[in-house]
Amino acid sequence: MNKAFHPFEVWFVTGSQHLYGPETLAQVARHSQEIATAFTNAASISAAIVYKPVLKTPEEITSLCRQANNDSNCIGIIAWMHTFSPAKMWINGLKILQKPLCHLHTQFNRDIPWGSIDMDFMNLNQSAHGDREFGHMMTRMRLERTVVTGHWQSKMVQHQIDVFIRAAAAWQDWQGARFVRFGDNMRYVSVTEGDKVEAELQFGYSVNTHGVGDLVQTINAVDEGAVDTLINEYLELYEVHEQLQPGGAKADALRDAARIELGIEQFLSAGNYKGYTNTFEDLHGMLQLPGIATQRLMAKGYGFGAEGDWKTAALVRAMKTMAKGLDGGNSFMEDYTYHFEEGNEMVLGSHMLEICPSIAHAKPTCEIHPLGIGGKADPVRLVFNVAGGPALNASMVDMGNRFRLLVNTVEAIEPQHDLPLLPVARVLWKTDPDMYTGCSAWIFAGGAHHTCYSQNLTTSHLQAFADMAGIEMVLIDKNTTINQLRKELKWSDVSYKLQS
């Protein structure tokens, strides 16, 4: 079966002990293999689930954890205690395990066999307390993990397993990832700053800077035949305004934009970068700010952050990775302006240019307009609306002594009016739990004005990812109240001060 995250795999690990004898252990193994195979064959699960032999001793457990750490295709472990597995056996293995862990609290049979249940059945099917023993040890060790409870054949459980897998795939993608900043960040801006050394220690990716001149050299060396080919792609995919078409008054501007796209992509590919930043304050040698280039590169999976915002660039990449194969898209976003009509309050999300067409509702138009800032030629961009429906905004912020992932659920709204003079991609949404509470909560939590907007991820995906990263996640949703949120923020501050 073609899985979205092939060749990545998740190992299915079952705990037991020799106490039960070979016949029971053989049955445990058969049950475990059946569950792993069912998960692999499930269309809703996006990576192969690989059965591993039943673990019965501390040495077997520690050996498997070492193997998982050293296997580049293993992105995580699902652990299940079919019988009772004394948790002290797991200490050394869990101490060294570096891969994300999902604790599956299930049992092989769905129902109690009322008429035939005996002590042999009870001794075999002991997850109800075997998993509690395992869970106690992980809590005792202060280990972050995902816990999924329910029968393994249920759609709910399989969905939650896939949530874990998607978060684990994004976490794997961050390990050793490289992000490049073209120039510095926008002057005097706070949220685009941050501790890049601490980020590499915490998250596993590196962020380094190249002067804009290094990129300009690559752009200027782009083959004109490649520019011609990309122009034809634009003409096929988008409604290209007449002035940008070959022979049009602004045709050279479209060629410049295409050359910039090809140059950035070549630079990223040559440097094995998974995302980048730039800023309109640092474009020396470039004819226009990258608009359509950044939009299309995001659609190909690259992370992006404007004004040097490397934290958002990395987050956009992670969320795009998590969402691989799902309907809808993920994009760099900014809360731009408000609609305060009583009872119909909304946020207009957009940016100067760089909104990913993966979230477009219909075929984008390719247009050119003045930017008004930056002092460069008019940039080419894709303009479109975004469909209504449930969505979320996520922001990664540096709190000084830790990183915080802030998430706000929203409801996107179908466009209610034409916006003939707004020459950028845009989306309208209503903020949970309401405009006033949601925006105030965001400000109390220190959220940035840059986010990643997602149509296809849930708060569960991001909570699992935050757990893997070892950072806090602050959630603003339909249940949020300002008083409770402020208490939680203070409790979190105390918790992290005690840990430092």
Side-chain angles (χ1 to χ4, degrees), residues 10-16 35 39 75-87 90 94 97 99-107 126-140 143-152 156-158 160-165 168 464 467-468:
V10 173
W11 291 2
F12 192 86
V13 175
T14 308
S16 188
I35 294 174
F39 282 169
I75 61 172
I77 286 177
I78 299 171
W80 170 48
M81 305 301 112
H82 191 315
T83 62
F84 196 79
S85 179
W90 288 84
L94 293 174
L97 183 64
K99 297 296 175 77
L101 176 61
C102 174
H103 182 189
L104 175 60
H105 184 38
T106 190
Q107 62 185 27
Q126 295 190 53
S127 324
H129 65 291
D131 278 327
R132 282 173 167 78
E133 168 79 356
F134 184 56
H136 161 75
M137 182 52 66
M138 288 186 289
T139 298
R140 174 70 175 79
L143 296 180
E144 295 289 357
R145 74 280 192 190
T146 297
V147 177
V148 175
T149 299
H151 193 253
W152 56 276
M156 176 195 73
V157 165
Q158 294 184 6
Q160 291 176 355
I161 291 292
D162 191 60
V163 167
F164 167 78
I165 289 170
D467 290 341
M468 293 171 193

Side-chain angles (χ1 to χ4, degrees), residues 97-259:
L97 183 64
Q98 298 171 345
K99 297 296 175 77
L101 176 61
C102 174
H103 182 189
L104 175 60
H105 184 38
T106 190
Q107 62 185 27
F108 184 74
N109 59 297
R110 193 194 71 173
D111 303 329
I112 293 175
W114 306 108
S116 61
I117 187 170
D118 56 18
M119 283 310 300
D120 288 339
F121 181 93
M122 297 278 276
N123 285 332
L124 175 63
N125 298 282
Q126 295 190 53
S127 324
H129 65 291
D131 278 327
R132 282 173 167 78
E133 168 79 356
F134 184 56
H136 161 75
M137 182 52 66
M138 288 186 289
T139 298
R140 174 70 175 79
M141 296 174 69
R142 309 299 193 266
L143 296 180
E144 295 289 357
R145 74 280 192 190
T146 297
V147 177
V148 175
T149 299
H151 193 253
W152 56 276
Q153 290 178 319
S154 79
K155 291 182 179 179
M156 176 195 73
V157 165
Q158 294 184 6
H159 169 72
Q160 291 176 355
I161 291 292
D162 191 60
V163 167
F164 167 78
I165 289 170
R166 290 183 174 279
W171 180 247
Q172 178 78 6
D173 184 70
W174 263 12
Q175 305 314 300
R178 305 176 69 197
F179 294 89
V180 60
R181 297 196 308 155
F182 294 119
D184 204 353
N185 64 302
M186 184 179 175
R187 290 184 281 276
Y188 304 116
V189 177
S190 172
V191 294
T192 57
E193 297 282 5
D195 189 334
K196 296 188 286 294
V197 174
E198 188 61 30
E200 189 163 356
L201 288 169
Q202 185 85 44
F203 301 133
Y205 64 73
S206 64
V207 182
N208 288 290
T209 300
H210 272 270
V212 179
D214 294 341
L215 175 61
V216 170
Q217 282 186 329
T218 304
I219 292 170
N220 290 342
V222 167
D223 178 72
E224 290 302 310
V227 174
D228 292 335
T229 300
L230 187 52
I231 294 292
N232 289 331
E233 186 174 326
Y234 292 165
L235 294 170
E236 180 181 350
L237 294 177
Y238 314 120
E239 297 290 346
V240 179
H241 279 198
E242 184 176 353
Q243 59 183 334
L244 291 172
Q245 294 185 16
K250 298 292 183 70
D252 285 346
L254 189 63
R255 293 189 66 83
D256 291 337
R259 191 176 295 106

Side-chain angles (χ1 to χ4, degrees), residues 189-445:
V189 177
S190 172
V191 294
T192 57
E193 297 282 5
D195 189 334
K196 296 188 286 294
V197 174
E198 188 61 30
E200 189 163 356
L201 288 169
Q202 185 85 44
F203 301 133
Y205 64 73
S206 64
V207 182
N208 288 290
T209 300
H210 272 270
V212 179
D214 294 341
L215 175 61
V216 170
Q217 282 186 329
T218 304
I219 292 170
N220 290 342
V222 167
D223 178 72
E224 290 302 310
V227 174
D228 292 335
T229 300
L230 187 52
I231 294 292
N232 289 331
E233 186 174 326
Y234 292 165
L235 294 170
E236 180 181 350
L237 294 177
Y238 314 120
E239 297 290 346
V240 179
H241 279 198
E242 184 176 353
Q243 59 183 334
L244 291 172
Q245 294 185 16
K250 298 292 183 70
D252 285 346
L254 189 63
R255 293 189 66 83
D256 291 337
R259 191 176 295 106
I260 289 170
E261 178 181 339
L262 291 166
I264 295 176
E265 187 167 15
Q266 288 177 20
F267 195 103
L268 297 176
S269 178
N272 195 29
Y273 293 110
K274 294 183 176 180
Y276 68 101
T277 73
N278 58 19
T279 174
F280 60 86
E281 287 184 332
D282 197 351
L283 296 172
H284 185 71
M286 296 182 68
L287 296 175
Q288 55 181 272
L289 178 66
I292 189 173
T294 296
Q295 293 177 290
R296 284 172 46 85
L297 288 169
M298 265 195 288
K300 291 182 177 181
Y302 287 103
F304 174 76
E307 290 96 50
D309 190 351
W310 52 271
K311 298 184 297 299
T312 301
L315 183 61
V316 169
R317 168 68 184 198
M319 291 174 67
K320 283 183 171 290
T321 301
M322 263 184 268
K324 187 176 181 181
L326 298 178
D327 292 335
N330 291 266
S331 176
F332 172 78
M333 186 59 67
E334 181 172 281
D335 296 57
Y336 225 100
T337 195
Y338 292 146
H339 183 69
F340 272 127
E341 177 189 356
E342 188 171 354
N344 189 35
E345 297 87 351
M346 293 179 289
V347 178
L348 176 62
S350 185
H351 203 254
M352 295 184 299
L353 301 171
E354 307 98 342
I355 302 299
C356 179
S358 67
I359 65 172
H361 179 49
K363 190 174 185 178
T365 58
C366 181
E367 305 179 18
I368 183 170
H369 301 277
L371 186 59
I373 55 177
K376 293 292 181 178
D378 298 345
V380 177
R381 78 291 304 273
L382 298 175
V383 178
F384 52 84
N385 290 314
V386 176
L392 59 79
N393 280 300
S395 174
M396 185 74 76
V397 291
D398 188 336
M399 298 299 295
N401 65 337
R402 67 191 187 277
F403 291 96
R404 170 179 288 167
L405 180 61
L406 184 58
V407 180
N408 186 195
T409 57
V410 303
E411 183 74 20
I413 304 300
E414 296 284 352
Q416 300 176 335
H417 304 278
D418 291 334
L419 300 168
L421 300 181
L422 185 63
V424 289
R426 59 277 181 141
V427 54
L428 282 166
W429 67 74
K430 291 181 178 288
T431 298
D432 285 337
D434 58 71
M435 181 83 153
Y436 308 104
T437 304
C439 292
S440 295
W442 190 272
I443 288 171
F444 274 121

